[in-house]
Amino acid sequence: MHSFDVVIVGAGAAGLFCAGVAGQLGLKVLVLDHSEKVAEKIRISGGGRSNFTNMDVSAANFISENPRFAKSALSRYTPADFVALVKKHGIAFHEKHKGQLFCDRSAEDLIAMLLAECAAGGVERWQPCSVKNIRFSASSPHGNCASSYEIDSDRGTIHCAALVIATGGLSIPKIGATDFGYRVAKQFNLPLITPRPALVPLTFDETSWAPFAELSGLSLPVDIATGSKKSSMSFREDLLFTHRGLSGPGVLQISSYWAEGTPIRLNLAPTVDLAQHLSQAKSSSRKRVANELAGLVPSRLADTWVNQGPTWGHDWQRPVNEASDKALNALAERLSRWELTPTGTEGYRKAEVTAGGVDTKVLSSQTLESQQPGLFFIGEVTDVTGWLGGYNFQWAWASGFACAHGL
Ligand code: FDA
């Protein structure tokens, strides 16, 4: 039988990082993954350059049933700590937008860095390797620890004192995502917050979306919000029209807060007072309404909007100075307070992350150990979901670090 202090299942961001730290703390570590390649999500992240952290991280950038849970780990391993590691490995990077840090060259540099850190800690790595069964014994057969696990893998049975689950969420099954972590939680009677796709494009029914499908490819900055007045969430980010609905950073952000059956609200011209502008234009401009509007929003959007609704369509044929106040106000209102209810999302096939996961109420915020002794959950498998912008990787690093120090 193979024997290790720690077995980490999942050689993604959290698993590899945790393995390197634990190995360098002197533990005998095995990390295994069912995929041929490690860290596929790092490889494809940030368009191949990985948005590996965000300089401005707080627990407020994360969604969880317990919003305070992530605080401890995030404060013990900060973006500055990860940046120091990246610099130590000579990886060039740059800030793109709102504190988001990307590799200059390639996400492969980060993967090489994580593997070098694992090598420095003497970490053993098995892949492809699948786990068939996990057994827990309350007292170790070797008598040197209070509890232990036996793992049946397709490379033999492994014995370990601590088992770390770092198998991520359900997003992008074609590159290896599975529900393994949730099944392990269920095996040990640990509760789950129902997983759902997050950071995901929103879709609409074909008929109601037909007038907007022609805008596919159009991107513009918007204010986007969802939720009730009491608990509403909003972002100012770009929105992208697609054939089936809406995407772009603003929509991905709001999708993590969106509840099925509820509307989203959009201001398509967040930096101008459209009603005031059109009312002023009415006294001085002879341009067609659509042309006047095209100075404030993209002209494709202006055309689509004025073509909708009998009032606007009628007035649109005339210059703005001949349009009725009512029609101009209705047009401004519809553009700045567009409310629409998605019918769904593009699902795990397109979602960047999975919200929900192992309920944090059974995890230690200090070490990520669960109520099941010696069993830890780190990274995306937990009910901690970051915003778009490097937050999910920072959670992978921070939770991996906290866990490594708690093993
Ligand atoms: P991760 O998914 O990285 O790793 C899980 C590992 O477990 C995988 O290697 C998998 O093969 C393995 N595994 C799964 N089931 C298994 C089983 N049954 N047996 C053995 N192994 C198993 N975040 C961010 O902060 N900045 C960014 O730029 C991006 N960009 C981005 C783009 C795209 C397209 C996606 C899909 C996601 C992002 N993300 C992101 C999110 C980020 O990639 C994600 O949150 C982290 O990779 C999560 O790290 P984990 O280690 O928890 O899981």
Side-chain angles (χ1 to χ4, degrees):
M1 188 185 315
H2 308 277
S3 190
F4 292 89
D5 295 323
V6 192
V7 171
I8 301 176
V9 185
L16 284 181
F17 185 71
C18 180
V21 176
Q24 290 177 41
L25 287 170
L27 295 169
K28 190 179 176 209
V29 181
L30 167 69
V31 59
L32 61 84
D33 200 295
H34 69 158
S35 294
E36 293 267 350
K37 283 183 173 175
V38 290
E40 277 293 71
K41 280 199 187 151
I42 298 181
R43 192 169 281 109
I44 62 168
S45 65
R49 293 223 162 107
S50 190
N51 175 195
F52 57 81
T53 192
N54 191 300
M55 289 315 289
D56 185 18
V57 166
S58 82
N61 304 117
F62 295 83
I63 302 159
S64 171
E65 288 288 301
N66 176 0
R68 297 174 59 79
F69 178 80
K71 253 186 162 174
S72 167
L74 290 172
S75 66
R76 282 161 62 209
Y77 193 80
T78 66
D81 292 323
F82 194 75
V83 165
L85 183 66
V86 166
K87 282 184 178 164
K88 189 179 111 187
H89 285 260
I91 298 172
F93 62 92
H94 59 280
E95 182 176 338
K96 213 171 182 179
H97 170 66
K98 296 186 176 174
Q100 301 166 5
L101 303 188
F102 286 75
C103 298
D104 282 358
R105 207 190 68 85
S106 164
E108 299 279 356
D109 292 344
L110 278 188
I111 300 174
M113 176 190 91
L114 293 172
L115 293 178
E117 288 292 309
C118 283
V123 172
E124 197 160 326
R125 195 153 47 81
W126 293 359
Q127 52 186 120
C129 177
S130 294
V131 171
K132 292 171 189 155
N133 286 304
I134 298 172
R135 286 180 299 280
F136 172 69
S137 129
S139 60
S140 161
H142 305 289
N144 56 356
C145 57
S147 57
S148 67
Y149 290 86
E150 262 181 27
I151 301 163
D152 294 331
S153 81
D154 53 14
R155 295 200 189 184
T157 299
I158 315 156
H159 173 266
C160 60
L163 173 60
V164 179
I165 306 301
T167 46
L170 298 170
S171 312
I172 325 281
K174 75 170 183 221
I175 57 164
T178 71
D179 64 351
F180 180 85
Y182 309 141
R183 280 189 275 123
V184 173
K186 279 182 194 154
Q187 177 184 343
F188 292 101
N189 295 319
L190 301 170
L192 291 180
I193 303 299
T194 308
R196 62 180 197 284
L199 298 182
V200 63
L202 297 172
T203 54
F204 298 85
D205 81 80
E206 219 179 309
T207 316
S208 64
W209 194 249
F212 309 109
E214 66 188 38
L215 292 174
S216 178
L218 177 70
S219 168
L220 72 161
V222 299
D223 278 347
I224 184 165
T226 196
S228 62
K229 267 189 190 154
K230 265 189 186 168
S231 64
S232 123
M233 193 65 200
S234 65
F235 293 89
R236 178 167 295 181
E237 286 278 7
D238 283 359
L239 163 141
L240 173 71
F241 283 87
T242 71
H243 284 293
R244 285 162 49 84
L246 294 171
S247 187
V251 172
L252 300 189
Q253 297 283 35
I254 216 71
S255 72
S256 300
Y257 289 89
W258 175 69
E260 253 183 82
T262 64
I264 57 169
R265 298 178 296 281
L266 286 159
N267 182 346
L268 298 172
T271 56
V272 275
D273 184 335
L274 279 179
Q276 193 190 25
H277 187 96
L278 288 174
S279 133
Q280 276 169 3
K282 190 169 153 58
S283 56
S284 59
S285 170
R286 290 167 155 240
K287 284 184 191 167
R288 284 186 317 156
V289 173
N291 288 350
E292 190 62 46
L293 206 53
L296 307 169
V297 297
S299 56
R300 281 170 73 194
L301 183 72
D303 283 342
T304 301
W305 248 250
V306 294
N307 273 329
Q308 285 175 34
T311 324
W312 307 336
H314 180 65
D315 275 325
W316 171 53
Q317 304 304 328
R318 296 188 240 157
V320 68
N321 59 338
E322 290 175 20
S324 70
D325 286 343
K326 196 176 160 204
L328 291 180
N329 281 338
L331 181 56
E333 175 85 8
R334 182 85 196 272
L335 274 160
S336 54
R337 280 186 222 176
W338 187 28
E339 187 169 297
L340 65 174
T341 302
T343 45
T345 75
E346 291 280 6
Y348 291 118
R349 202 173 48 89
K350 290 269 179 78
E352 283 205 8
V353 289
T354 303
V358 178
D359 193 337
T360 58
K361 76 175 178 234
V362 294
L363 300 179
S364 156
S365 62
Q366 305 289 309
T367 65
L368 282 297
E369 185 172 12
S370 70
Q371 281 173 0
Q372 163 68 29
L375 179 64
F376 299 70
F377 292 85
I378 58 172
E380 200 180 310
V381 73
T382 63
D383 172 37
V384 175
T385 307
W387 287 5
L388 188 76
Y391 301 99
N392 285 295
F393 280 138
Q394 189 57 35
W395 173 243
W397 319 136
S399 59
F401 183 85
C403 171
H405 282 269
L407 289 166

